[in-house]
Amino acid sequence: MTVSERIWWKDGIVYQIYPASYKDSNGDGIGDIPGVISTLDYLKDLGVDIVWLSPHYDSPQHDMGYDVSNYEDVYAPYGRVADAEGLIEACHDRGMRIIFDLVINHTSDLHQWFKESRSSKHDPKRDWYIWRPARYNKNGERKPPNNWRSFFGGSAWEWDEATQEYYLHLFLTEQPDLNWENGITRDAVYQSAMTFWLDKGLDGFRVDTVNMYSKGLELPDAPVSDNTSEWQVAHSLFCNGPRMHEFLREMNQKILSNYDTMIVGELPHTPDADHVLRYVSAKDRQLDMVFQFDAVDLGQGHNYKLETRPWSLTELKSAISSAQSLAADGDGWTTAFLENHDQARSISRFASDHPKYHAVSGKMLAIFLATLTGTLFIYQGQEIGTINCPKNWPIEEYKDVASLNYYNMIKERSGGERVALDAALDGIQKVARDHARAPMQWDDTPHAGFTTGTPWMRAHDRYPSINVKQQRGDKNSIFHFWKKMLALRKKYTDLFVHGKFEILDCQNESTFTYTKTFKGDRSLVALNFTGVSRPFSKPAKLQGNLTLLVSNVEPKEETLEPYEGRVYLVDRANTS
């Protein structure tokens, strides 16, 4: 089967739900699965085909559910297994599909497997996780096995006093990494985390950290890139390891080939497009598609994500072009997205959240995403133009462990220096994960209609004017524009979902202009990413008459207004 054949997960529009923040049905301040079910008709009306539910499994919630203590149970505040089964059925009843998050690089340290693994060096499950003896420096001080830095800061190794060894945790200490070199471990993962839910009718998975399972056996020190820290960025040593493709082929052959599934992998730190294509090759049968992070990582620091830097539109073009190229030869496939649970809000990052430009910015980005080749992913609240948390929020309002760990690290390093702390908070305000995790804004009642109780995280201050109810009642809203763009994407599926992407103004730092071509059909997309009017004319190389299909403002013939986007159809009879 080649990717040029039409499969449901290519043409489908995916909507990601972060359960803790989406909709609370019982007033305890935490979103839940019954709350999700209550909104499925809303999603169907928007144009959604596939629901992606972020981790709902039983968990101590040190990393918001990405620390799973039981793959076969549900986190109690979210509901029960019966509720998850009901959600699958409710999606199918509406002609929609549903996928779950698959978190199998690591488990919670409260998972029964790890409890047994850490109980003794001789336990049968000891080798289910990655254990190593200590190193000692010339002064006889105990040190971790290598200098790898955890994604959340500090060493990626934790000392276990009882068994006198270290275990690896690329994320929190409460998230020990599974040992994928052990075939028995892999089979247990496949059965508990995958087959259990696929047999209940689940349609697939978004696979967390899909390129980190094969770390090799030697685990050498990472090169020093940060002279201020003992612990170093080691992505090149634990991403895309020697057996990574072998493991994914095995997963596909043993499990996924038995079901009609959609598999999308989270693929960080893999800038080589040729290597990415190996993961998504239809011939090789590993993954259907992946999330590359070149675009959404723009402006983030190398050593620390929240140590932000300026970015340019040409960088965005390069990142988008690389992702679009994966679908160019018919063997691979790609994704189109700007938001998820780990990213700040796209209007705040890539356009303008100023009230003057908020609506037009949200609509421009809707045009952008809805005309890109690949499977389209929308994150909760994106369809109403949700923006980053207010700049005046103090650090106490932020809940994400990554934000708090970073702020506290800067506080310790600087001795609490105000300038350093202000810079840290500025980085958090720009790109922290918290912005995606604030409560969904349903209406203008207290707490944005998310809950009748006290929410686990504060609702955005602008929820009275940015909410679902208000926008569904306003035909000129961002919501209705998104609905229009999704309908156009389905009407012109060949062109927008499957068309060939070509940038026409690679070096322009203000506008982003590209064509989409499918056989004899062609469209022209022109976007202004600035708050200043920019000149516009039909590209000289483009033959044929232009017919305006959609614009987010009343267009002027030779000018793109601030944050304007427009799409033209090119006269087929004159297409070159």
Side-chain angles (χ1 to χ4, degrees):
M1 182 178 291
T2 64
V3 175
S4 59
E5 296 178 61
R6 295 303 166 86
I7 302 173
W8 59 268
W9 45 259
K10 294 183 214 168
D11 296 352
I13 292 162
V14 187
Y15 188 96
Q16 183 188 358
I17 290 174
Y18 195 71
S21 304
Y22 185 66
K23 182 67 174 173
D24 174 20
S25 70
N26 60 8
D28 67 356
I30 301 172
D32 48 47
I33 294 174
V36 174
I37 294 172
S38 73
T39 69
L40 291 180
D41 290 335
Y42 162 74
L43 298 181
K44 184 71 174 178
D45 177 59
L46 175 62
V48 171
D49 304 299
I50 304 163
V51 172
W52 157 20
L53 185 69
S54 289
H56 65 287
Y57 313 105
D58 199 12
S59 165
Q61 298 289 316
H62 291 290
D63 188 24
M64 295 301 293
Y66 284 89
D67 48 326
V68 179
S69 57
N70 187 348
Y71 293 108
E72 300 174 26
D73 202 357
V74 172
Y75 178 51
Y78 293 167
R80 303 165 299 154
V81 170
D83 294 312
E85 293 171 334
L87 174 59
I88 294 171
E89 182 179 2
C91 286
H92 291 169
D93 287 345
R94 290 164 174 80
M96 301 162 71
R97 306 270 191 150
I98 180 167
I99 65 174
F100 287 168
D101 242 282
L102 185 63
V103 187
I104 50 178
N105 173 71
H106 48 264
T107 68
S108 164
D109 62 346
L110 297 184
H111 196 292
Q112 185 60 32
W113 296 346
F114 188 70
K115 289 180 180 179
E116 294 178 35
S117 181
R118 80 185 312 177
S119 67
S120 166
K121 288 183 181 180
H122 307 292
D123 187 89
K125 288 189 175 64
R126 182 66 171 185
D127 194 38
W128 285 37
Y129 293 83
I130 300 173
W131 295 90
R132 291 292 186 275
R135 294 193 298 187
Y136 292 88
N137 64 18
K138 61 183 179 181
N139 298 321
E141 297 172 316
R142 187 187 71 227
K143 293 291 182 180
N146 63 32
N147 67 351
W148 293 3
R149 177 188 295 166
S150 156
F151 279 101
F152 295 125
S155 173
W157 296 90
E158 179 72 5
W159 178 250
D160 183 64
E161 188 65 31
T163 59
Q164 294 288 291
E165 283 192 323
Y166 284 93
Y167 66 84
L168 180 68
H169 60 92
L170 294 182
F171 295 86
L172 293 174
T173 58
E174 295 89 356
Q175 294 170 292
D177 281 46
L178 286 158
N179 179 18
W180 276 70
E181 297 291 332
N182 186 330
I184 297 174
T185 308
R186 297 198 302 274
D187 284 340
V189 166
Y190 299 156
Q191 293 304 314
S192 184
M194 301 176 72
T195 301
F196 179 84
W197 292 104
L198 291 170
D199 284 348
K200 294 181 182 298
L202 189 70
D203 298 299
F205 297 99
R206 174 266 187 186
V207 191
D208 190 55
T209 60
V210 77
N211 59 344
M212 298 184 191
Y213 309 154
S214 173
K215 304 169 179 72
L217 299 175
E218 296 185 0
L219 310 181
D221 277 339
V224 176
S225 60
D226 181 5
N227 291 317
T228 68
S229 175
E230 184 177 359
W231 317 115
Q232 302 298 316
V233 172
H235 305 152
S236 62
L237 298 175
F238 59 70
C239 289
N240 309 308
R243 300 184 67 188
M244 197 60 253
H245 296 285
E246 173 194 342
F247 293 156
L248 292 178
R249 289 187 200 103
E250 177 186 82
M251 180 193 296
N252 199 302
Q253 291 164 4
K254 285 189 172 183
I255 306 299
L256 299 174
S257 61
N258 299 315
Y259 305 87
D260 178 18
T261 59
M262 164 185 169
I263 304 297
V264 53
E266 179 189 35
L267 195 75
H269 311 296
T270 311
D272 180 3
D274 289 337
H275 193 175
V276 176
L277 189 57
R278 292 177 62 192
Y279 283 99
V280 298
S281 166
K283 298 172 186 174
D284 208 2
R285 299 186 66 82
Q286 296 183 46
L287 303 168
D288 296 324
M289 63 193 109
V290 296
F291 294 121
Q292 288 178 273
F293 295 92
D294 301 29
V296 294
D297 282 351
L298 290 176
Q300 298 179 7
H302 171 68
N303 283 312
Y304 297 97
K305 166 184 173 176
L306 299 170
E307 204 169 58
T308 55
R309 61 176 179 81
W311 62 274
S312 67
L313 187 59
T314 52
E315 288 181 288
L316 179 62
K317 292 176 182 180
S318 176
I320 295 296
S321 182
S322 177
Q324 292 285 283
S325 71
L326 293 174
D329 68 355
D331 183 44
W333 194 240
T334 192
T335 55
F337 76 103
L338 285 178
E339 293 190 22
N340 63 34
H341 62 289
D342 283 338
Q343 305 299 330
R345 293 295 184 169
S346 56
I347 291 178
S348 300
R349 291 196 64 195
F350 299 105
S352 174
D353 56 18
H354 188 283
K356 179 180 179 181
Y357 296 121
H358 170 250
V360 71
S361 291
K363 294 174 184 179
M364 183 270 286
L365 293 176
I367 291 174
F368 181 37
L369 285 167
T371 55
L372 291 178
T373 296
T375 301
L376 174 59
F377 289 79
I378 304 168
Y379 182 73
Q380 64 182 49
Q382 188 174 358
E383 77 277 15
I384 59 169
T386 303
I387 60 178
N388 278 5
C389 301
K391 292 182 180 180
N392 63 357
W393 277 18
I395 189 63
E396 290 76 17
E397 296 292 351
Y398 290 87
K399 306 299 182 184
D400 181 30
V401 64
S403 300
L404 300 178
N405 282 1
Y406 177 73
Y407 188 86
N408 290 331
M409 180 194 71
I410 297 299
K411 185 176 182 178
E412 181 179 348
R413 282 188 181 183
S414 69
E417 183 184 59
R418 189 71 260 164
V419 172
L421 292 178
D422 286 346
L425 190 57
D426 180 69
I428 291 169
Q429 202 286 322
K430 288 177 179 174
V431 299
R433 304 191 300 181
D434 302 80
H435 304 296
R437 302 178 180 193
M440 177 74 175
Q441 295 156 210
W442 291 103
D443 55 41
D444 61 0
T445 61
H447 312 305
F450 162 69
T451 181
T452 56
T454 301
W456 72 274
M457 183 178 180
R458 177 178 170 182
H460 198 290
D461 295 359
R462 283 173 62 180
Y463 78 80
S465 60
I466 304 175
N467 65 71
V468 170
K469 183 178 180 181
Q470 183 274 327
Q471 292 206 12
R472 293 187 84 180
D474 177 3
K475 293 298 183 182
N476 295 316
S477 68
I478 296 175
F479 169 84
H480 279 284
F481 195 85
W482 260 109
K483 185 175 177 179
K484 177 180 181 179
M485 288 308 306
L486 296 184
L488 285 174
R489 183 174 175 85
K490 292 180 178 182
K491 181 178 180 180
Y492 296 95
T493 297
D494 288 346
L495 202 53
F496 294 145
V497 180
H498 297 269
K500 179 184 176 183
F501 170 89
E502 182 183 4
I503 298 178
L504 302 182
D505 58 351
C506 292
Q507 301 307 312
N508 193 312
E509 291 289 2
S510 301
T511 63
F512 194 158
T513 307
Y514 53 91
T515 58
K516 296 296 299 295
T517 306
F518 186 91
K519 296 182 178 179
D521 295 327
R522 181 173 293 178
S523 64
L524 171 68
V525 182
L527 310 168
N528 183 358
F529 273 79
T530 75
V532 179
S533 297
R534 301 293 179 183
F536 171 78
S537 60
K538 187 178 78 172
K541 66 176 290 185
L542 200 62
Q543 302 299 312
N545 296 321
L546 302 181
T547 301
L548 184 67
L549 181 64
V550 66
S551 176
N552 60 341
V553 302
E554 188 64 39
K556 297 180 180 178
E557 188 172 344
E558 298 182 353
T559 302
L560 283 175
E561 293 300 302
Y563 302 106
E564 180 181 356
R566 61 178 79 163
V567 183
Y568 293 97
L569 296 179
V570 183
D571 212 4
R572 183 169 184 173
N574 297 297
T575 300
S576 60

